[in-house]
Amino acid sequence: MRISARNQIKGTVVEVQKGATTSHVRVDIGGGQIVTSSITNEAVDDLGIKAGGKATVVIKASDVMIAVD
Amino acid sequence: MRISARNQIKGTVVEVQKGATTSHVRVDIGGGQIVTSSITNEAVDDLGIKAGGKATVVIKASDVMIAVD
Amino acid sequence: MRISARNQIKGTVVEVQKGATTSHVRVDIGGGQIVTSSITNEAVDDLGIKAGGKATVVIKASDVMIAVD
Amino acid sequence: MRISARNQIKGTVVEVQKGATTSHVRVDIGGGQIVTSSITNEAVDDLGIKAGGKATVVIKASDVMIAVD
Amino acid sequence: MRISARNQIKGTVVEVQKGATTSHVRVDIGGGQIVTSSITNEAVDDLGIKAGGKATVVIKASDVMIAVD
Amino acid sequence: MRISARNQIKGTVVEVQKGATTSHVRVDIGGGQIVTSSITNEAVDDLGIKAGGKATVVIKASDVMIAVD
């Protein structure tokens, strides 16, 4: 499957923190950058996401903001 | 100003493509990764975003998905 | 590739309307329902999206609202 | 009230799963499709959303992605 | 229709700027605050949104960030 | 830091409700309007967000919908 989302960055899952319905997944994308994702617990279970696994962070371009100093 | 968005990655603007109302801004965040952002033309003008400038991409954790092979 | 987004519905592209930077893609998901998506022109070109083609609409659960009468 | 969101699909609530602050609501939109929504517990209580009730899923076009095989 | 989105603020449309596919609508919500919305041209036409008309801005809680100095 | 998000409204935090991983923050923006934000617990802690503090709500224009009667 290929998806329209313009931003797809490969990395390694470093932490999965499960809440009551929502999990926070942290992915190391290299260069010292950790990306945090908030997804459903159901998705974590369904995809078998766990620390140490390979994963791609996927972000739609319209969800990316730009900041300047 | 500090913002709640968990993902803030510094980089360099490599392209600004202006449409009728919406611009696409591409930011090199290092490690060979380019992030694409879709924002208003007004924001591009207001912040003076242009190729070669420093910029930070900002993404709310709830807008980040995870994919696995 | 499998993605965390909880909503993935198969259908057929019925219209692609290209703007200056942003396209509107309409997908018939059956049962008389047409879903409208706003994505970058670049994504349309990259994935070869065109009327008549098969496509899956993908929506993160946190982007779905509920209304009642 | 009429809203700008392009995607409004009627269905029946099949499950409400409440977490600490966030609920997952599943709506059967027909044709064998279940749509999952992540909304605040407060919204669930305010609108009286419960399994068996009629509901409309509402999704802004800019939150819909397209995938192809 | 009542919708789960927690933020619904009434105001008056002060400007509609149409692009090729995407419009920017500015709504005065009182207290000197103007809210900018980016929606499809189709929604603008469908709802008859124009300067001077009454309108409600609707924002899902998960799309609101918090900043501090 | 200046950010591309078109909507930045100053106010005062009136409530922080922490869940297992997700918090709801309510900000009084004046004129009798309360804005509700759903963000990570981590952001609440990191920015020291608490009732009584000053805060700015930040919303990307593409996340704002328009409704009419």
Side-chain angles (χ1 to χ4, degrees), chain A residues 12 14 26-30 32-36, chain B residues 6-9:
Chain A
T12 303
V14 290
R26 291 187 176 79
V27 178
D28 184 334
I29 59 166
Q33 296 292 349
I34 305 290
V35 171
T36 299
Chain B
R6 291 298 83 195
N7 302 298
Q8 305 181 27
I9 307 176

Side-chain angles (χ1 to χ4, degrees), chain A residues 19 22 24 26 62 66-68, chain F residues 2 4 21 40 42 60 62:
Chain A
T22 308
H24 293 170
R26 291 187 176 79
S62 55
I66 302 288
V68 298
Chain F
R2 292 186 303 139
S4 58
T21 53
T40 62
E42 185 187 300
K60 196 173 186 299
S62 55

Side-chain angles (χ1 to χ4, degrees), chain F residues 4 16 23 32 40 43 63 66:
Chain F
S4 58
V16 177
S23 293
T40 62
D63 288 326
I66 302 288

Side-chain angles (χ1 to χ4, degrees), chain D:
Chain D
M1 188 179 80
R2 292 186 303 140
I3 192 164
S4 58
R6 290 299 82 196
N7 302 298
Q8 305 181 26
I9 307 176
K10 295 189 177 189
T12 302
V13 177
V14 291
E15 186 187 8
V16 177
Q17 182 190 358
K18 272 199 170 178
T21 53
T22 308
S23 293
H24 293 169
V25 177
R26 291 188 174 78
V27 177
D28 183 335
I29 60 167
Q33 295 292 350
I34 305 290
V35 171
T36 299
S37 163
S38 173
I39 60 177
T40 63
N41 289 350
E42 184 187 300
V44 169
D45 294 340
D46 188 20
L47 272 64
I49 298 168
K50 57 187 172 202
K54 296 294 179 193
T56 300
V57 298
V58 179
I59 306 152
K60 196 173 187 299
S62 55
D63 288 326
V64 179
M65 291 161 285
I66 303 288
V68 298
D69 284 333

Side-chain angles (χ1 to χ4, degrees), chain F residues 6-41:
Chain F
R6 290 297 83 196
N7 302 298
Q8 305 181 27
I9 307 176
K10 295 188 177 190
T12 302
V13 178
V14 290
E15 185 188 7
V16 177
Q17 182 190 358
K18 272 198 169 179
T21 53
T22 308
S23 293
H24 294 169
V25 178
R26 291 187 175 77
V27 177
D28 184 335
I29 60 166
Q33 295 293 350
I34 305 290
V35 171
T36 299
S37 164
S38 173
I39 60 176
T40 62
N41 289 351

